[in-house]
């Protein structure tokens, strides 16, 4: 994933990502914002990600630590609480190549929704997006295809189970895990995170 | 008799708070319903229920040095008992989520149905706590790939803690979307039943602006009808309130966020 280096406009810690996304939408930024959730730092983890924009509308997302793009990438740096946001401007033409990477593209409302849980801002962003982008993420045939792929669904579920068990250990919630979840946690190696 | 439901979606944007209050109002026809804004980090139930100026909120019950009684944070609105949460970041930081179990246990003693409006996240202890504490979850979905994916994740978290799925609400469904086929496919992976397909409606936004639940603002709206249908399909189970209170109390919960 290569995004051309932009001109730094501002870098500051904000209470949540919504303020930055709103400002970028208002100023119709073309460029990118680097997000570094501060709570992750406190936990000793480095988390950061990039969202690119065209005229203020989010185009793609990339988790720079895990090197994952798209919706999954976005979730990687969706940490509640203060975040450092560095806003950079880039020429539209310079971003064109990066924006062609389909796998990293995200529906316009997703950053507001996922990073900030701000549905109103998500709706405003979708309303402000070009007509061709407004229905992204609402393709019924894609939903049907997703649900028809039983193996992929099982993968999502088993990953979530693993994650739930690992986090229960981290959070001291082991004792309230269901018996079968605890049993499989005991059998399978590598789920005990700390 | 009490059953606690966490209304959950994993991520935001599905209309979880609207759904919680709509289900609460519909269930209040037959049950004593208490609705709790358990999204302590991003509270917005108070805006939906006209409680913007509530003096005492859940936050006050979760902070050690505040001397508020649980009953001070309970507001009788729209036929339900509503426990809003405040929006102050400082209060959120000072709140001890571990106290949530005591508050919920006390509220459980007087209710038939508890509805916990759950955080749109799974990334912290305080975010999963409502799902840990509830008997069952109601998953609120939109018919989109990200929403279904998030819904599957929150369901797996819930099941890991022994919390079953009561059913699924498809919300904000657009006129051109045929949810029947999606619901049939999704039924293979989600527990419980499809409770309703709620159409996208302008009345939802208008209700939020007015600070009223949808069923109070526009009771005749097709979305309101769908939520009533969902509530009717929800088979609230008889339980012993004391058992629930006991389980809440014994749940090992974190001291800090």
């Amino acid at each position: 994933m290569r995004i051309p280096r932009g001109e730094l406009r501002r870098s500051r810690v904000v209470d949540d990502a919504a303020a930055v996304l709103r400002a970028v939408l208002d100023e119709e930024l073309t460029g990118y914002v680097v997000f570094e959730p501060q709570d992750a730092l406190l936990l000793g983890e480095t988390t950061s990600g990039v969202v690119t924009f065209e005229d203020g509308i989010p185009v793609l997302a990339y988790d720079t630590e895990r090197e994952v793009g798209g919706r999954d990438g976005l979730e990687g740096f969706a940490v509640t609480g203060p975040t450092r946001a560095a806003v950079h401007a880039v020429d539209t033409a310079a971003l064109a190549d990066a924006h062609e990477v389909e796998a990293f593209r995200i529906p316009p409302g997703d950053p507001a929704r996922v990073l900030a849980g701000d549905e109103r801002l998500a709706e405003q962003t979708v309303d402000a997006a070009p007509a061709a982008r407004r229905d992204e993420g609402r393709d019924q045939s894609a939903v049907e295809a997703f649900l028809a792929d039983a193996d992929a669904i099982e993968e999502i579920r088993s990953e979530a189970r693993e994650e739930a068990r690992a986090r229960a250990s981290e959070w001291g919630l082991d004792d309230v895990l269901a018996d079968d979840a605890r049993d499989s946690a005991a059998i399978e190696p590598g789920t005990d995170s700390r | 008799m009490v059953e606690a439901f966490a209304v959950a979606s994993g991520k935001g944007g599905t209309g979880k708070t609207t759904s919680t209050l709509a289900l609460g109002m519909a269930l209040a026809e037959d049950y004593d319903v208490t609705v709790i804004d358990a999204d302590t980090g991003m509270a917005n139930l108070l805006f939906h229920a006209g409680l913007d100026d509530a003096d005492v909120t859940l936050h006050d019950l979760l902070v050690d040095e505040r001397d508020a009684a649980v009953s001070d944070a309970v507001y009788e609105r729209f036929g339900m008992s509503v426990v809003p949460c405040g929006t102050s970041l400082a209060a959120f930081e000072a709140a001890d989520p571990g106290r949530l179990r005591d508050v919920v246990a006390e509220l459980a003693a007087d209710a038939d149905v508890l509805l916990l409006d759950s955080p749109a996240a799974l990334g912290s202890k305080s975010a999963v706590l409502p799902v840990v504490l509830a008997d069952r979850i109601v998953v609120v979905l939109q018919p989109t790939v990200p929403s279904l994916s998030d819904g599957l994740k929150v369901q797996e978290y819930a099941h890991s803690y022994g919390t079953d799925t009561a059913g699924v609400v498809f919300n904000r469904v657009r006129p051109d979307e045929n949810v029947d086929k999606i619901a049939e496919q999704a039924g293979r992976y989600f527990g419980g039943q499809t409770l309703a397909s709620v159409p996208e409606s302008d009345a939802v936004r208008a209700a939020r602006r007015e600070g009223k639940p949808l069923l109070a603002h526009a009771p005749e709206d097709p979305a309101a009808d769908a939520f009533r249908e969902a509530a009717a399909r929800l088979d609230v189970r008889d339980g012993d309130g004391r058992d629930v209170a006991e389980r809440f109390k014994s749940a090992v919960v974190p001291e800090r966020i």
Side-chain angles (χ1 to χ4, degrees), chain A residues 71 75 113 116 119 123 135 137-138 140 143-144 147 153 157 161 163 167-168 171-173 176-178 181, chain B residues 12-13 42 122 125 142-144 146 148 150 153 156-157 160-162 172 174 177-178 181 185 189 205 252:
Chain A
R71 166 82 178 197
E75 289 184 4
R113 213 163 266 149
E119 177 59 21
E123 282 175 13
D135 283 334
R138 300 288 306 227
Q140 178 147 357
V143 174
E144 288 173 11
L147 288 170
I153 300 260
R157 297 179 68 173
R161 279 194 293 273
E163 190 180 280
R167 286 182 168 175
W171 297 334
L173 290 170
V176 281
L177 279 179
Chain B
M42 203 169 289
L122 290 167
K125 298 176 214 175
Q142 279 182 278
T144 65
L148 286 159
D150 291 339
K153 286 182 198 165
E156 290 307 325
Y157 267 72
S160 297
Y161 290 104
R172 307 188 60 199
R174 294 182 185 171
E177 287 169 332
N178 173 10
K181 177 153 187 219
Q185 286 179 296
Y189 312 113
R205 268 196 245 189
V252 178

Tab-separated table of all heavy atoms in Angstrom, chain A residues 71 75 113 116 119 123 135 137-138 140 143-144 147 153 157 161 163 167-168 171-173 176-178 181, chain B residues 12-13 42 122 125 142-144 146 148 150 153 156-157 160-162 172 174 177-178 181 185 189 205 252:
chain	number	residue	atom	x	y	z
A	71	ARG	N	-12.537	-2.567	5.099
A	71	ARG	CA	-13.315	-2.543	6.336
A	71	ARG	C	-12.556	-3.221	7.505
A	71	ARG	O	-12.551	-2.733	8.625
A	71	ARG	CB	-14.653	-3.253	6.067
A	71	ARG	CG	-15.440	-3.622	7.276
A	71	ARG	CD	-16.246	-2.459	7.809
A	71	ARG	NE	-17.021	-2.910	8.957
A	71	ARG	CZ	-18.049	-2.261	9.464
A	71	ARG	NH1	-18.422	-1.123	8.933
A	71	ARG	NH2	-18.692	-2.723	10.490
A	75	GLU	N	-11.310	-1.456	11.150
A	75	GLU	CA	-11.611	-1.953	12.496
A	75	GLU	C	-10.353	-2.091	13.354
A	75	GLU	O	-10.429	-2.007	14.569
A	75	GLU	CB	-12.318	-3.309	12.410
A	75	GLU	CG	-13.716	-3.147	11.890
A	75	GLU	CD	-14.479	-4.451	11.870
A	75	GLU	OE1	-13.939	-5.462	12.332
A	75	GLU	OE2	-15.614	-4.427	11.384
A	113	ARG	N	-18.889	5.741	11.221
A	113	ARG	CA	-19.603	4.685	11.919
A	113	ARG	C	-18.651	3.840	12.763
A	113	ARG	O	-18.894	3.596	13.935
A	113	ARG	CB	-20.237	3.805	10.844
A	113	ARG	CG	-21.530	3.185	11.198
A	113	ARG	CD	-22.224	2.703	9.931
A	113	ARG	NE	-23.143	3.675	9.407
A	113	ARG	CZ	-23.428	3.812	8.112
A	113	ARG	NH1	-22.831	3.062	7.210
A	113	ARG	NH2	-24.283	4.732	7.731
A	116	ALA	N	-15.967	6.289	14.993
A	116	ALA	CA	-16.563	7.231	15.937
A	116	ALA	C	-17.952	6.822	16.413
A	116	ALA	O	-18.490	7.437	17.327
A	116	ALA	CB	-16.629	8.621	15.304
A	119	GLU	N	-23.523	7.858	13.790
A	119	GLU	CA	-24.401	7.544	12.664
A	119	GLU	C	-24.843	8.806	11.923
A	119	GLU	O	-24.963	8.818	10.704
A	119	GLU	CB	-25.618	6.767	13.170
A	119	GLU	CG	-26.644	6.441	12.103
A	119	GLU	CD	-26.056	5.616	10.966
A	119	GLU	OE1	-24.998	4.966	11.163
A	119	GLU	OE2	-26.641	5.635	9.868
A	123	GLU	N	-24.333	9.475	7.972
A	123	GLU	CA	-25.400	9.817	7.021
A	123	GLU	C	-25.074	11.097	6.258
A	123	GLU	O	-25.289	11.189	5.046
A	123	GLU	CB	-26.729	9.994	7.758
A	123	GLU	CG	-27.374	8.665	8.118
A	123	GLU	CD	-28.635	8.839	8.948
A	123	GLU	OE1	-29.145	9.976	9.042
A	123	GLU	OE2	-29.102	7.832	9.515
A	135	ASP	N	-24.560	4.139	-2.709
A	135	ASP	CA	-25.119	2.821	-2.422
A	135	ASP	C	-24.070	1.771	-2.129
A	135	ASP	O	-24.380	0.594	-2.012
A	135	ASP	CB	-26.011	2.359	-3.575
A	135	ASP	CG	-27.350	3.073	-3.533
A	135	ASP	OD1	-27.742	3.480	-2.425
A	135	ASP	OD2	-27.960	3.252	-4.592
A	137	GLY	N	-21.842	-0.709	-0.271
A	137	GLY	CA	-22.119	-1.444	0.960
A	137	GLY	C	-23.566	-1.885	1.066
A	137	GLY	O	-23.967	-2.476	2.044
A	138	ARG	N	-24.399	-1.586	0.037
A	138	ARG	CA	-25.804	-1.998	0.115
A	138	ARG	C	-26.163	-2.862	-1.083
A	138	ARG	O	-27.280	-2.805	-1.571
A	138	ARG	CB	-26.729	-0.768	0.118
A	138	ARG	CG	-26.547	0.206	1.237
A	138	ARG	CD	-27.021	-0.238	2.590
A	138	ARG	NE	-28.377	-0.688	2.696
A	138	ARG	CZ	-29.202	-0.287	3.663
A	138	ARG	NH1	-28.848	0.632	4.513
A	138	ARG	NH2	-30.402	-0.813	3.768
A	140	GLN	N	-27.378	-6.036	-2.577
A	140	GLN	CA	-28.055	-7.225	-2.068
A	140	GLN	C	-27.417	-8.522	-2.557
A	140	GLN	O	-27.324	-9.490	-1.811
A	140	GLN	CB	-29.536	-7.191	-2.454
A	140	GLN	CG	-30.253	-8.447	-1.990
A	140	GLN	CD	-31.690	-8.192	-1.595
A	140	GLN	OE1	-32.159	-7.065	-1.608
A	140	GLN	NE2	-32.393	-9.245	-1.230
A	143	VAL	N	-24.597	-9.391	-0.420
A	143	VAL	CA	-25.033	-9.907	0.882
A	143	VAL	C	-25.416	-11.380	0.749
A	143	VAL	O	-25.015	-12.216	1.565
A	143	VAL	CB	-26.236	-9.098	1.428
A	143	VAL	CG1	-26.771	-9.730	2.705
A	143	VAL	CG2	-25.828	-7.659	1.687
A	144	GLU	N	-26.162	-11.688	-0.326
A	144	GLU	CA	-26.584	-13.084	-0.515
A	144	GLU	C	-25.367	-13.988	-0.753
A	144	GLU	O	-25.302	-15.106	-0.239
A	144	GLU	CB	-27.591	-13.175	-1.662
A	144	GLU	CG	-28.933	-12.577	-1.258
A	144	GLU	CD	-29.920	-12.476	-2.421
A	144	GLU	OE1	-29.643	-13.050	-3.495
A	144	GLU	OE2	-30.961	-11.822	-2.237
A	147	LEU	N	-23.594	-14.590	2.560
A	147	LEU	CA	-24.283	-15.549	3.432
A	147	LEU	C	-24.264	-16.968	2.864
A	147	LEU	O	-24.429	-17.940	3.599
A	147	LEU	CB	-25.736	-15.099	3.675
A	147	LEU	CG	-25.891	-13.873	4.585
A	147	LEU	CD1	-27.326	-13.364	4.571
A	147	LEU	CD2	-25.468	-14.181	6.017
A	153	ILE	N	-18.152	-17.750	6.571
A	153	ILE	CA	-18.904	-17.369	7.776
A	153	ILE	C	-18.345	-18.113	8.989
A	153	ILE	O	-18.166	-17.525	10.051
A	153	ILE	CB	-20.401	-17.713	7.622
A	153	ILE	CG1	-20.983	-16.951	6.426
A	153	ILE	CG2	-21.166	-17.468	8.913
A	153	ILE	CD1	-21.752	-15.737	6.712
A	157	ARG	N	-16.848	-16.614	12.472
A	157	ARG	CA	-17.345	-17.020	13.790
A	157	ARG	C	-16.236	-17.616	14.651
A	157	ARG	O	-16.131	-17.301	15.835
A	157	ARG	CB	-18.492	-18.021	13.630
A	157	ARG	CG	-19.674	-17.409	12.917
A	157	ARG	CD	-20.796	-18.404	12.733
A	157	ARG	NE	-21.413	-18.766	13.998
A	157	ARG	CZ	-22.494	-19.523	14.081
A	157	ARG	NH1	-23.060	-20.004	13.000
A	157	ARG	NH2	-23.021	-19.804	15.245
A	161	ARG	N	-14.814	-16.254	18.174
A	161	ARG	CA	-14.775	-17.084	19.397
A	161	ARG	C	-13.385	-17.042	20.031
A	161	ARG	O	-13.245	-16.868	21.238
A	161	ARG	CB	-15.140	-18.538	19.072
A	161	ARG	CG	-16.622	-18.807	18.973
A	161	ARG	CD	-16.927	-20.303	19.002
A	161	ARG	NE	-16.452	-21.001	17.823
A	161	ARG	CZ	-17.149	-21.122	16.680
A	161	ARG	NH1	-18.342	-20.564	16.581
A	161	ARG	NH2	-16.669	-21.783	15.651
A	163	GLU	N	-11.138	-14.744	19.662
A	163	GLU	CA	-10.900	-13.390	20.163
A	163	GLU	C	-11.628	-13.190	21.495
A	163	GLU	O	-11.070	-12.626	22.445
A	163	GLU	CB	-11.416	-12.401	19.116
A	163	GLU	CG	-11.048	-10.966	19.342
A	163	GLU	CD	-11.630	-10.085	18.237
A	163	GLU	OE1	-11.038	-10.041	17.149
A	163	GLU	OE2	-12.689	-9.471	18.464
A	167	ARG	N	-9.685	-12.379	24.914
A	167	ARG	CA	-9.944	-11.129	25.630
A	167	ARG	C	-10.514	-11.391	27.013
A	167	ARG	O	-10.263	-10.634	27.941
A	167	ARG	CB	-10.886	-10.245	24.809
A	167	ARG	CG	-10.161	-9.640	23.631
A	167	ARG	CD	-11.047	-8.742	22.833
A	167	ARG	NE	-10.274	-7.950	21.890
A	167	ARG	CZ	-10.829	-7.148	21.005
A	167	ARG	NH1	-12.139	-7.015	20.951
A	167	ARG	NH2	-10.083	-6.446	20.183
A	168	ALA	N	-11.304	-12.451	27.157
A	168	ALA	CA	-11.836	-12.793	28.483
A	168	ALA	C	-10.675	-13.027	29.445
A	168	ALA	O	-10.720	-12.613	30.600
A	168	ALA	CB	-12.726	-14.023	28.398
A	171	TRP	N	-9.151	-9.646	30.299
A	171	TRP	CA	-10.009	-8.786	31.114
A	171	TRP	C	-10.407	-9.421	32.435
A	171	TRP	O	-11.220	-8.873	33.172
A	171	TRP	CB	-11.283	-8.416	30.330
A	171	TRP	CG	-11.021	-7.631	29.089
A	171	TRP	CD1	-9.960	-6.820	28.841
A	171	TRP	CD2	-11.840	-7.585	27.908
A	171	TRP	NE1	-10.065	-6.274	27.589
A	171	TRP	CE2	-11.209	-6.719	26.992
A	171	TRP	CE3	-13.044	-8.181	27.546
A	171	TRP	CZ2	-11.728	-6.444	25.736
A	171	TRP	CZ3	-13.566	-7.905	26.307
A	171	TRP	CH2	-12.917	-7.042	25.407
A	172	GLY	N	-9.906	-10.594	32.719
A	172	GLY	CA	-10.274	-11.257	33.971
A	172	GLY	C	-11.712	-11.733	33.973
A	172	GLY	O	-12.358	-11.800	35.020
A	173	LEU	N	-12.252	-12.045	32.790
A	173	LEU	CA	-13.639	-12.511	32.710
A	173	LEU	C	-13.710	-14.023	32.473
A	173	LEU	O	-14.767	-14.553	32.151
A	173	LEU	CB	-14.380	-11.777	31.580
A	173	LEU	CG	-14.685	-10.295	31.811
A	173	LEU	CD1	-15.184	-9.633	30.538
A	173	LEU	CD2	-15.716	-10.112	32.915
A	176	VAL	N	-16.596	-16.149	33.945
A	176	VAL	CA	-17.970	-16.078	33.460
A	176	VAL	C	-18.105	-16.612	32.037
A	176	VAL	O	-19.171	-16.551	31.450
A	176	VAL	CB	-18.560	-14.650	33.566
A	176	VAL	CG1	-18.980	-14.367	34.989
A	176	VAL	CG2	-17.600	-13.596	33.074
A	177	LEU	N	-17.030	-17.154	31.487
A	177	LEU	CA	-17.146	-17.820	30.189
A	177	LEU	C	-18.041	-19.046	30.338
A	177	LEU	O	-18.035	-19.695	31.379
A	177	LEU	CB	-15.762	-18.279	29.700
A	177	LEU	CG	-14.858	-17.252	29.020
A	177	LEU	CD1	-13.537	-17.909	28.649
A	177	LEU	CD2	-15.516	-16.654	27.793
A	178	ALA	N	-18.790	-19.363	29.274
A	178	ALA	CA	-19.598	-20.581	29.295
A	178	ALA	C	-18.658	-21.784	29.375
A	178	ALA	O	-17.517	-21.708	28.917
A	178	ALA	CB	-20.459	-20.640	28.045
A	181	ALA	N	-16.997	-22.897	26.150
A	181	ALA	CA	-15.981	-21.949	25.676
A	181	ALA	C	-14.701	-22.100	26.488
A	181	ALA	O	-13.597	-22.059	25.964
A	181	ALA	CB	-16.507	-20.521	25.776
B	12	GLY	N	-21.752	0.429	15.265
B	12	GLY	CA	-22.813	1.427	15.251
B	12	GLY	C	-23.580	1.525	13.937
B	12	GLY	O	-23.212	0.903	12.949
B	13	GLY	N	-24.631	2.313	13.978
B	13	GLY	CA	-25.317	2.658	12.739
B	13	GLY	C	-26.514	1.816	12.388
B	13	GLY	O	-27.166	2.053	11.381
B	42	MET	N	-20.626	6.160	24.995
B	42	MET	CA	-21.232	6.990	23.955
B	42	MET	C	-22.749	6.992	24.115
B	42	MET	O	-23.489	6.475	23.277
B	42	MET	CB	-20.835	6.481	22.574
B	42	MET	CG	-20.939	7.531	21.519
B	42	MET	SD	-20.161	6.994	19.997
B	42	MET	CE	-18.436	7.044	20.430
B	122	LEU	N	-16.763	-3.946	20.690
B	122	LEU	CA	-16.429	-5.144	21.469
B	122	LEU	C	-15.026	-5.031	22.022
B	122	LEU	O	-14.481	-5.997	22.541
B	122	LEU	CB	-16.512	-6.385	20.558
B	122	LEU	CG	-17.910	-6.796	20.108
B	122	LEU	CD1	-17.825	-7.811	18.979
B	122	LEU	CD2	-18.680	-7.377	21.279
B	125	LYS	N	-13.610	-3.960	28.116
B	125	LYS	CA	-14.391	-4.709	29.098
B	125	LYS	C	-15.765	-4.098	29.291
B	125	LYS	O	-16.769	-4.789	29.358
B	125	LYS	CB	-13.671	-4.698	30.438
B	125	LYS	CG	-12.319	-5.350	30.418
B	125	LYS	CD	-11.659	-5.187	31.772
B	125	LYS	CE	-10.171	-5.035	31.635
B	125	LYS	NZ	-9.507	-4.767	32.896
B	142	GLN	N	-28.473	-4.504	9.832
B	142	GLN	CA	-28.922	-3.986	8.545
B	142	GLN	C	-28.564	-5.048	7.516
B	142	GLN	O	-27.611	-5.812	7.717
B	142	GLN	CB	-28.211	-2.682	8.218
B	142	GLN	CG	-28.825	-1.486	8.908
B	142	GLN	CD	-28.106	-0.216	8.507
B	142	GLN	OE1	-27.060	0.107	9.053
B	142	GLN	NE2	-28.656	0.485	7.548
B	143	PRO	N	-29.301	-5.110	6.412
B	143	PRO	CA	-28.993	-6.139	5.422
B	143	PRO	C	-27.771	-5.776	4.586
B	143	PRO	O	-27.848	-5.602	3.378
B	143	PRO	CB	-30.275	-6.199	4.570
B	143	PRO	CG	-30.904	-4.870	4.731
B	143	PRO	CD	-30.502	-4.332	6.071
B	144	THR	N	-26.623	-5.606	5.248
B	144	THR	CA	-25.369	-5.315	4.550
B	144	THR	C	-24.295	-6.281	5.050
B	144	THR	O	-24.412	-6.822	6.156
B	144	THR	CB	-24.871	-3.878	4.833
B	144	THR	OG1	-24.544	-3.784	6.218
B	144	THR	CG2	-25.934	-2.835	4.495
B	146	PRO	N	-21.091	-5.680	6.079
B	146	PRO	CA	-20.420	-5.305	7.340
B	146	PRO	C	-21.310	-5.502	8.561
B	146	PRO	O	-20.849	-5.954	9.603
B	146	PRO	CB	-20.100	-3.816	7.141
B	146	PRO	CG	-20.109	-3.601	5.670
B	146	PRO	CD	-21.102	-4.580	5.110
B	148	LEU	N	-23.870	-7.624	8.958
B	148	LEU	CA	-24.041	-9.053	9.250
B	148	LEU	C	-22.772	-9.627	9.873
B	148	LEU	O	-22.826	-10.421	10.813
B	148	LEU	CB	-24.391	-9.803	7.961
B	148	LEU	CG	-25.832	-9.585	7.475
B	148	LEU	CD1	-25.958	-9.907	6.000
B	148	LEU	CD2	-26.797	-10.435	8.285
B	150	ASP	N	-20.514	-7.978	11.627
B	150	ASP	CA	-20.434	-7.484	13.007
B	150	ASP	C	-21.417	-8.216	13.912
B	150	ASP	O	-21.110	-8.529	15.066
B	150	ASP	CB	-20.747	-5.984	13.061
B	150	ASP	CG	-19.662	-5.157	12.418
B	150	ASP	OD1	-18.533	-5.664	12.292
B	150	ASP	OD2	-19.945	-4.010	12.029
B	153	LYS	N	-20.146	-11.513	14.893
B	153	LYS	CA	-19.091	-11.402	15.915
B	153	LYS	C	-19.688	-11.188	17.305
B	153	LYS	O	-19.280	-11.841	18.266
B	153	LYS	CB	-18.146	-10.241	15.588
B	153	LYS	CG	-17.216	-10.539	14.428
B	153	LYS	CD	-16.283	-9.372	14.181
B	153	LYS	CE	-15.675	-9.456	12.803
B	153	LYS	NZ	-15.056	-8.199	12.376
B	156	GLU	N	-21.070	-14.336	18.678
B	156	GLU	CA	-20.066	-15.287	19.181
B	156	GLU	C	-19.548	-14.859	20.545
B	156	GLU	O	-19.312	-15.694	21.413
B	156	GLU	CB	-18.903	-15.429	18.199
B	156	GLU	CG	-19.266	-16.143	16.912
B	156	GLU	CD	-19.923	-17.504	17.120
B	156	GLU	OE1	-19.553	-18.217	18.074
B	156	GLU	OE2	-20.825	-17.847	16.341
B	157	TYR	N	-19.333	-13.551	20.723
B	157	TYR	CA	-18.932	-13.060	22.044
B	157	TYR	C	-19.999	-13.451	23.075
B	157	TYR	O	-19.693	-13.958	24.148
B	157	TYR	CB	-18.754	-11.530	22.030
B	157	TYR	CG	-17.350	-11.071	21.747
B	157	TYR	CD1	-16.800	-11.193	20.472
B	157	TYR	CD2	-16.552	-10.518	22.744
B	157	TYR	CE1	-15.513	-10.775	20.203
B	157	TYR	CE2	-15.251	-10.096	22.486
B	157	TYR	CZ	-14.741	-10.221	21.220
B	157	TYR	OH	-13.461	-9.810	20.957
B	160	SER	N	-20.038	-17.076	23.917
B	160	SER	CA	-18.879	-17.449	24.733
B	160	SER	C	-19.157	-17.255	26.220
B	160	SER	O	-18.576	-17.928	27.060
B	160	SER	CB	-17.648	-16.621	24.345
B	160	SER	OG	-17.290	-16.894	23.015
B	161	TYR	N	-20.035	-16.292	26.516
B	161	TYR	CA	-20.370	-16.027	27.919
B	161	TYR	C	-21.694	-16.700	28.309
B	161	TYR	O	-22.309	-16.330	29.304
B	161	TYR	CB	-20.454	-14.520	28.169
B	161	TYR	CG	-19.085	-13.845	28.103
B	161	TYR	CD1	-18.716	-13.094	26.991
B	161	TYR	CD2	-18.172	-13.989	29.140
B	161	TYR	CE1	-17.463	-12.500	26.916
B	161	TYR	CE2	-16.920	-13.396	29.067
B	161	TYR	CZ	-16.575	-12.652	27.965
B	161	TYR	OH	-15.331	-12.073	27.898
B	162	GLY	N	-22.145	-17.638	27.471
B	162	GLY	CA	-23.372	-18.359	27.795
B	162	GLY	C	-24.641	-17.557	27.557
B	162	GLY	O	-25.703	-17.899	28.065
B	172	ARG	N	-33.806	-0.638	9.326
B	172	ARG	CA	-33.470	0.335	8.290
B	172	ARG	C	-33.401	-0.330	6.908
B	172	ARG	O	-32.492	-0.095	6.131
B	172	ARG	CB	-32.146	1.025	8.632
B	172	ARG	CG	-32.147	1.616	10.037
B	172	ARG	CD	-30.930	2.444	10.306
B	172	ARG	NE	-30.877	3.539	9.365
B	172	ARG	CZ	-29.778	4.229	9.097
B	172	ARG	NH1	-28.649	3.922	9.689
B	172	ARG	NH2	-29.807	5.205	8.239
B	174	ARG	N	-34.347	-0.901	3.199
B	174	ARG	CA	-34.813	-0.014	2.121
B	174	ARG	C	-35.859	-0.725	1.266
B	174	ARG	O	-35.883	-1.947	1.192
B	174	ARG	CB	-33.628	0.404	1.262
B	174	ARG	CG	-32.666	1.277	2.044
B	174	ARG	CD	-31.530	1.718	1.165
B	174	ARG	NE	-30.548	2.464	1.944
B	174	ARG	CZ	-29.368	2.830	1.478
B	174	ARG	NH1	-29.015	2.523	0.249
B	174	ARG	NH2	-28.532	3.510	2.233
B	177	GLU	N	-34.931	-3.547	-1.026
B	177	GLU	CA	-34.234	-4.703	-0.473
B	177	GLU	C	-35.239	-5.786	-0.073
B	177	GLU	O	-36.214	-5.515	0.621
B	177	GLU	CB	-33.394	-4.284	0.743
B	177	GLU	CG	-32.164	-3.490	0.335
B	177	GLU	CD	-31.450	-2.830	1.505
B	177	GLU	OE1	-32.094	-2.510	2.522
B	177	GLU	OE2	-30.236	-2.625	1.386
B	178	ASN	N	-34.983	-7.003	-0.539
B	178	ASN	CA	-35.836	-8.115	-0.175
B	178	ASN	C	-35.164	-8.892	0.960
B	178	ASN	O	-34.249	-9.671	0.734
B	178	ASN	CB	-36.040	-9.016	-1.398
B	178	ASN	CG	-36.783	-10.277	-1.033
B	178	ASN	OD1	-37.300	-10.403	0.077
B	178	ASN	ND2	-36.833	-11.210	-1.965
B	181	LYS	N	-35.151	-13.324	1.696
B	181	LYS	CA	-34.119	-14.294	1.322
B	181	LYS	C	-32.900	-14.172	2.250
B	181	LYS	O	-32.340	-15.159	2.689
B	181	LYS	CB	-33.702	-14.069	-0.141
B	181	LYS	CG	-32.584	-15.011	-0.536
B	181	LYS	CD	-32.532	-15.333	-2.005
B	181	LYS	CE	-31.491	-16.415	-2.262
B	181	LYS	NZ	-30.750	-16.177	-3.487
B	185	GLN	N	-31.351	-17.007	4.771
B	185	GLN	CA	-29.936	-17.416	4.779
B	185	GLN	C	-29.313	-17.156	6.145
B	185	GLN	O	-28.591	-17.997	6.694
B	185	GLN	CB	-29.158	-16.628	3.729
B	185	GLN	CG	-29.413	-17.036	2.291
B	185	GLN	CD	-28.596	-16.166	1.353
B	185	GLN	OE1	-28.802	-14.944	1.276
B	185	GLN	NE2	-27.648	-16.764	0.643
B	189	TYR	N	-27.251	-19.059	10.589
B	189	TYR	CA	-26.090	-18.713	11.422
B	189	TYR	C	-26.480	-18.019	12.724
B	189	TYR	O	-25.731	-18.044	13.688
B	189	TYR	CB	-25.131	-17.800	10.651
B	189	TYR	CG	-24.821	-18.310	9.259
B	189	TYR	CD1	-25.252	-17.622	8.129
B	189	TYR	CD2	-24.097	-19.484	9.086
B	189	TYR	CE1	-24.974	-18.077	6.859
B	189	TYR	CE2	-23.817	-19.957	7.821
B	189	TYR	CZ	-24.253	-19.249	6.702
B	189	TYR	OH	-23.982	-19.708	5.460
B	205	ARG	N	-35.904	9.571	12.257
B	205	ARG	CA	-35.090	10.785	12.473
B	205	ARG	C	-35.914	11.889	13.129
B	205	ARG	O	-35.441	12.596	14.006
B	205	ARG	CB	-34.536	11.288	11.138
B	205	ARG	CG	-33.160	10.707	10.854
B	205	ARG	CD	-32.476	11.502	9.770
B	205	ARG	NE	-32.285	10.660	8.595
B	205	ARG	CZ	-31.558	11.026	7.551
B	205	ARG	NH1	-30.971	12.197	7.508
B	205	ARG	NH2	-31.414	10.220	6.526
B	252	VAL	N	-17.843	-12.081	37.668
B	252	VAL	CA	-16.550	-11.452	37.929
B	252	VAL	C	-16.383	-10.323	36.924
B	252	VAL	O	-16.310	-10.570	35.728
B	252	VAL	CB	-15.403	-12.460	37.759
B	252	VAL	CG1	-14.069	-11.776	37.978
B	252	VAL	CG2	-15.587	-13.603	38.715
